[in-house]
Amino acid sequence: MPITVYGIPNCGSVQKARTWLNGQGLAYEFHDFKKAGLSKDIIAAWLKVVSWEILVNKKGTTWRGLPDATKASITTAASATQLMLDNPSVIKRPVLCQGKTVLVGFDESIYQEQLR
C-alpha cells in the first residue's frame, strides 16, 4: 500500500520521517503542501482518522503569529479546515498516510508499529 508524506521539505520533523522511511527501505511519495497545495478532500480524509486538534499545531510559530480573534474562532473541524487551507504551515508535520492510517508528527516507535 503506498505511503504519502505531507509536509514541507525544510521541516526538521519531516526530514526525520523521510530519513527513517529511507532507512527502512519504505517507498513513499512526498507532497510538499506549500508548493503543491492541499485540498479540502485531503484534509477531510485526515479528519476521518484524527481530530483537528491534533492536526492544528498550536505550539508552532504560525499559530502563535495568528491574531487572537482568529485563534479564538477555531472551534470546529470546519473552521480548522479553512485555517489549514489558508495557512498550511499551521499543520503539525509530517502527516503520513497509508491506506486508512494517518500519522501526525514523527515518532519512530509509532512508525515502527504502524508501518511494519
Side-chain angles (χ1 to χ4, degrees), residues 4-62:
T4 303
V5 177
Y6 295 87
I8 53 177
N10 62 342
C11 172
S13 294
V14 171
Q15 291 171 348
K16 288 177 188 176
R18 294 176 77 183
T19 298
W20 186 87
L21 290 165
N22 289 332
Q24 302 301 308
L26 295 171
Y28 63 91
E29 177 184 332
F30 179 68
H31 181 103
D32 182 342
F33 53 57
K34 279 211 172 175
K35 288 185 181 175
L38 282 175
S39 71
K40 207 172 199 175
D41 290 341
I42 290 171
I43 294 172
W46 298 346
L47 290 172
K48 289 180 182 176
V49 182
V50 298
S51 71
W52 67 266
E53 291 96 338
I54 291 171
L55 284 168
V56 174
N57 183 6
K58 292 186 177 181
K59 294 180 182 177
T61 56
T62 301

Side-chain angles (χ1 to χ4, degrees), residues 52-116:
W52 67 266
E53 291 96 338
I54 291 171
L55 284 168
V56 174
N57 183 6
K58 292 186 177 181
K59 294 180 182 177
T61 56
T62 301
W63 175 264
R64 291 194 310 260
L66 293 172
D68 288 340
T70 300
K71 292 181 207 175
S73 72
I74 307 304
T75 58
T76 64
S79 59
T81 297
Q82 192 58 54
L83 176 69
M84 290 184 272
L85 289 170
D86 294 342
N87 300 288
S89 295
V90 79
I91 299 169
K92 184 173 173 86
R93 299 175 299 264
V95 178
L96 183 146
C97 300
Q98 183 183 41
K100 294 185 180 188
T101 299
V102 177
L103 305 176
V104 180
F106 175 70
D107 182 320
E108 185 174 343
S109 62
I110 291 173
Y111 274 39
Q112 285 177 339
E113 179 184 311
Q114 296 290 320
L115 301 174
R116 286 282 166 186

